[in-house]
Amino acid sequence: MSRRNFVRAVQAVLVCTVATVSCVRNPPPVAPEPPPPPPAAEERPGPAPRLEPEPPPPAPVVPPIEADVDIVSRDLEQLNRESPLRPVFFGYDSSDLDGPGRRVLEDNAAVLRDNPTWIITIEGHCDERGTAEYNLALGERRALAARQYLVELGLQGDRLRTVSYGKEFPFAAGQDEGAWAKNRRAHLVISDR
C-alpha cells in the first residue's frame, strides 16, 4: 500500500471515528423557540428595528484523553484512531486561537513532549461555506496558527507539518451551525514516529 493510500485510509478511519464519537458525546442541538410574530402593519410605529444576527454557539468542548501507559506499543493507525491529540476549533471565518484553543494546544504540547520522536501533521479544515480557494487559504491559516503556538510552547518546528484541506473533508455532516462549528478546526495527526 503506498504512503498516500495509507494516509487516505487513516484519514477515512479518523473521519468515521470522530463522527461516531461526536454523535455519542454530543446530544442533538435543541432548536431555539421561534420569535413571536411581528405586529400587524397598522400597529408598527415606524421602520422595523434592525436585528443583529445571533452570535454563533461556542466551539464544541473535547474532553481530555486519559494518559495511556502502552501508547508506545501502538502503531500509527491505532494511535490516530484513539486520538491522543485533540483538535482545536475556530470561530467563523477566523484563524485566531481563543483561550480554549490555546489550552487544548498546551495539553497537546505536553503529549508531544512525552513523545519526542513523533512527527505531527496539522490539518486545517473549514466549514462548507465559501469558495474552495478561500477555504483552502483559511484552512492553511488555521493550521499555521496552531503550529506557531506549539512552537511558542517550545516544540521543534521541524516536527510540525501543516496541510490545508479547506472544506473537502468535513468531520460533521449537516448544514447548520452545530455541524459547521465542528468542521472549523485544526486537526493533529501523528504522521511518523
Side-chain angles (χ1 to χ4, degrees):
M1 176 182 280
S2 73
R3 182 175 174 93
R4 185 175 188 182
N5 288 340
F6 175 76
V7 170
R8 286 185 181 192
V10 168
Q11 289 172 339
V13 168
L14 284 172
V15 168
C16 292
T17 302
V18 170
T20 302
V21 170
S22 294
C23 291
V24 170
R25 291 187 182 165
N26 296 326
V30 177
E33 292 186 26
E42 64 270 4
E43 295 176 18
R44 290 188 196 155
R50 185 174 176 193
L51 298 177
E52 294 295 321
E54 289 186 33
V61 176
V62 180
I65 295 178
E66 298 296 323
D68 194 342
V69 292
D70 70 338
I71 201 166
V72 176
S73 66
R74 298 178 186 167
D75 63 23
L76 286 178
E77 184 177 346
Q78 188 177 14
L79 279 173
N80 284 308
R81 185 175 49 246
E82 295 173 6
S83 191
L85 302 171
R86 298 181 343 196
V88 178
F89 296 97
F90 292 87
Y92 173 70
D93 195 28
S94 175
S95 58
D96 296 334
L97 290 169
D98 58 9
R102 285 188 182 88
R103 284 189 291 282
V104 166
L105 287 173
E106 291 162 3
D107 292 345
N108 288 341
V111 172
L112 294 172
R113 280 189 209 98
D114 291 341
N115 298 280
T117 60
W118 288 2
I119 305 296
I120 304 303
T121 299
I122 305 169
E123 302 174 345
H125 295 273
C126 300
D127 63 38
E128 66 184 8
R129 297 171 291 178
T131 65
E133 295 81 15
Y134 180 82
N135 282 324
L136 280 172
L138 179 57
E140 181 177 1
R141 289 194 306 271
R142 289 173 175 167
L144 289 172
R147 181 187 185 278
Q148 179 61 37
Y149 192 65
L150 289 170
V151 169
E152 289 172 13
L153 292 172
L155 295 174
Q156 295 297 319
D158 59 353
R159 294 178 61 194
L160 307 169
R161 302 172 182 158
T162 61
V163 64
S164 175
Y165 290 116
K167 61 182 178 179
E168 297 305 314
F169 299 106
F171 286 83
Q175 295 180 327
D176 58 22
E177 186 55 41
W180 292 331
K182 292 174 186 171
N183 292 327
R184 296 189 303 256
R185 63 198 288 144
H187 188 77
L188 283 71
V189 177
I190 304 164
S191 49
D192 201 1
R193 62 179 180 162

